[in-house]
């Protein structure tokens, strides 16, 4: 079954590793196609909270941090800017999940779910900076102290 999924979706291994990572933390990942992302992630599930993050997944080599395999969506500034605008409008934040592939892992090893434990996931959250909000926070902190 693993090989079938790998043949149907070029980034299946990376997507599954990220899915597994979130589920092991108790978060609920759902498809992010509506927001142009790979996943949206809920803290406890759709009935309880809105999704907190729109997730973009990229598999990179552990040593060089260069993209591995077929990158369906390159992370260019226009892509990142567009994603940030969409997620900000939906009250979410963008999370980049970099799946770190061991440099010595072969394609043959990736044909089995046993490879999952060898991957690491690096999560980076991008927050939008709003100068007016910072000014207000500084003023509030100044008045309190």
């Amino acid at each position: 079954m693993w090989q079938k999924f790998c043949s149907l979706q070029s980034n299946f291994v990376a997507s599954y590793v990220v899915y597994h990572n979130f589920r092991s933390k108790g978060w609920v990942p759902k498809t992010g196609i509506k927001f142009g992302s790979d996943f949206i992630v809920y803290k406890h599930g759709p009935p309880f909270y809105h999704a907190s993050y729109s997730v973009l997944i990229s598999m990179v080599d552990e040593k060089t941090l260069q993209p591995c395999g077929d990158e369906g969506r390159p992370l260019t500034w226009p892509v990142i800017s567009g994603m940030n605008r969409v997620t900000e409008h939906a009250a979410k934040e963008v999370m980049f999940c970099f799946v770190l592939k061991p440099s010595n892992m072969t394609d043959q090893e990736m044909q089995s779910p046993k490879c999952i434990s060898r991957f690491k996931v690096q999560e980076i959250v991008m927050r939008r900076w709003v100068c007016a909000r910072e000014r207000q926070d500084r003023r509030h902190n100044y008045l309190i102290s």
Side-chain angles (χ1 to χ4, degrees), residues 10-11 59-61 66-72 101 107 110:
S10 62
N11 68 338
M59 185 180 294
V60 297
D61 183 83
Q66 294 300 312
C68 296
D70 181 26
E71 285 292 305
K101 178 185 173 191
D107 289 340
M110 290 179 60

Side-chain angles (χ1 to χ4, degrees), residues 19 22-29 41-44 52-53:
Y19 177 87
F22 284 127
R23 291 299 298 151
S24 68
K25 292 179 179 184
W27 287 61
V28 181
V41 184
Y42 296 85
K43 189 170 186 171
H44 295 290
S52 301
Y53 302 104

Side-chain angles (χ1 to χ4, degrees), residues 21-115:
N21 179 60
F22 284 127
R23 291 299 298 151
S24 68
K25 292 179 179 184
W27 287 61
V28 181
K30 297 285 184 182
T31 182
I33 198 162
K34 181 177 177 182
F35 299 98
S37 62
D38 296 306
F39 290 122
I40 55 173
V41 184
Y42 296 85
K43 189 170 186 171
H44 295 290
F48 305 107
Y49 293 97
H50 289 288
S52 301
Y53 302 104
S54 288
V55 179
L56 297 175
I57 300 169
S58 183
M59 185 180 294
V60 297
D61 183 83
E62 182 178 53
K63 292 195 187 322
T64 65
L65 300 181
Q66 294 300 312
C68 296
D70 181 26
E71 285 292 305
R73 172 190 43 246
L75 292 179
T76 61
W77 282 115
V79 169
I80 293 169
S81 177
M83 177 59 61
N84 193 34
R85 286 177 184 265
V86 169
T87 56
E88 182 69 22
H89 185 70
K92 296 175 187 11
E93 293 177 324
V94 177
M95 178 185 289
F96 299 99
C97 283
F98 294 100
V99 178
L100 304 176
K101 178 185 173 191
S103 297
N104 62 353
M105 183 178 279
T106 65
D107 289 340
Q108 183 66 25
E109 289 176 280
M110 290 179 60
Q111 295 300 312
S112 166
K114 293 177 185 175
C115 70

